[in-house]
Amino acid sequence: MVLSANDKSNVKAVFGKIGGQAGDLGGEALDRLFITYPQTKTYFPHFDLSHGSAQIKAHGKKVADALVEAANHVDDIAGALSKLSDLHAQKLRVDPVNFKLLGHCFLVVVAIHFPSLLTPEVHASLDKFVCAVGTVLTAKYR
Amino acid sequence: MEGKEEEIREKVISRCKYLKGPVKTAVVPRLLIVYPWTQRFFDNFGNLSSATAIIGNPKVRAHGKKVLTSFGEAVKNLDNIKTTFSKLSELHCEKLHVDPENFRLLGDILIIVLAAHFGRDFNPACQATWQKLVGVVAHALAYKYH
């Protein structure tokens, strides 16, 4: 899926509005991921995964920072996330299906905190964006 | 679904009754906009050329109400959902030829619409329950496929 100029502009606008809250949103998305899709917890046996744990918040912020980075370099997401892509391919090897799940949870969190922002068109753009990020992160898997 | 989930489901559903209008009419248009390939089933619906056209399209709105009303029926008959949806499942397979993946897409859109309406009330436990619910509905609708 290719991001149109409109998509890119929508993505930048969303992240512009989200601003400094991105880290919190990332934490919330991750929290929801573990509660809604318990199988995703299998990637974090070393974490305290209780609702709202400090580790979830910290990791959520990492995830959000990557999304912000991708949004800031929306013309070259593959370039911006190249190291992260290597990491996921070589070390983490998170099954590709899980990126969809996290992407969905991120959209839910945006819908909760910024409902008026998430018009159907912006929703489409953001959905494409998180798909694109997932694609980049799994691109080197094989 | 266990006790606590039933409780949450009741809470969420009862709120849903008051949001009949906005939730019901928002879901299908959003599905057609966010996942445009789903428009393939609605060639006879007229103008779907833009988000505005889709949102304003009376056939789309009517269909949205139909779908969400049906969803409501499923929720009332959760213990018996495969039976409740048996004929609908056959219809979607034999006549409408809808890939069951589309039921999952609709479910995810519904979740996001609910999230936008309920805000923080749509807490993680709520979301988890609703994801299970849309999963159960999708499964029931796909059950008679052959």
Side-chain angles (χ1 to χ4, degrees), chain B residues 61-82:
Chain B
R61 291 171 81 87
H63 194 68
K65 281 189 190 157
K66 218 192 205 179
V67 170
L68 269 291
T69 301
S70 198
F71 205 93
E73 282 309 304
V75 168
K76 287 186 206 151
N77 294 287
L78 269 181
D79 293 328
N80 201 20
I81 189 174
K82 284 190 182 121

Side-chain angles (χ1 to χ4, degrees), chain A residues 48-97:
Chain A
D48 165 18
L49 293 178
S50 52
H51 174 48
S53 84
Q55 280 183 305
I56 293 182
K57 288 196 167 113
H59 197 70
K61 184 171 183 317
K62 261 193 193 168
V63 169
D65 286 346
L67 289 175
V68 168
E69 185 69 6
N72 289 338
H73 297 89
V74 75
D75 288 319
D76 182 19
I77 297 176
L81 300 186
S82 178
K83 291 225 158 57
L84 251 188
S85 180
D86 291 337
L87 180 72
H88 281 79
Q90 291 153 21
K91 213 176 164 217
L92 304 177
R93 291 167 293 181
V94 173
D95 190 286
V97 73

Side-chain angles (χ1 to χ4, degrees), chain B:
Chain B
M1 290 213 193
E2 308 108 59
K4 196 149 192 209
E5 287 183 329
E6 275 289 319
E7 198 186 295
I8 295 172
R9 183 178 63 81
E10 287 306 328
K11 240 207 252 176
V12 176
I13 305 277
S14 66
R15 280 203 202 104
C16 235
K17 287 197 197 126
Y18 303 116
L19 291 173
K20 272 207 279 218
V23 171
K24 270 192 169 177
T25 53
V27 178
V28 169
R30 194 170 278 251
L31 176 75
L32 299 181
I33 293 165
V34 175
Y35 305 116
W37 55 92
T38 57
Q39 292 170 27
R40 69 190 297 284
F41 303 107
F42 303 103
D43 277 341
N44 61 338
F45 268 30
N47 187 6
L48 299 178
S49 59
S50 69
T52 313
I54 291 171
I55 291 168
N57 185 311
K59 282 188 170 175
V60 172
R61 291 171 81 87
H63 194 68
K65 281 189 190 157
K66 218 192 205 179
V67 170
L68 269 291
T69 301
S70 198
F71 205 93
E73 282 309 304
V75 168
K76 287 186 206 151
N77 294 287
L78 269 181
D79 293 328
N80 201 20
I81 189 174
K82 284 190 182 121
T83 311
T84 306
F85 272 3
S86 176
K87 287 259 149 12
L88 253 186
S89 180
E90 283 168 6
L91 177 77
H92 279 78
C93 170
E94 291 160 16
K95 274 204 120 170
L96 305 176
H97 310 293
V98 177
D99 178 350
E101 180 58 25
N102 292 282
F103 308 142
R104 287 173 258 288
L105 293 180
L106 181 89
D108 279 350
I109 295 282
L110 173 57
I111 300 277
I112 288 173
V113 169
L114 288 171
H117 273 93
F118 288 127
R120 279 165 219 266
D121 271 356
F122 197 63
N123 60 38
C126 239
Q127 182 188 347
T129 300
W130 272 92
Q131 296 286 172
K132 273 195 187 174
L133 181 62
V134 301
V136 163
V137 170
H139 180 75
L141 266 179
Y143 195 64
K144 283 304 191 80
Y145 271 57
H146 56 90

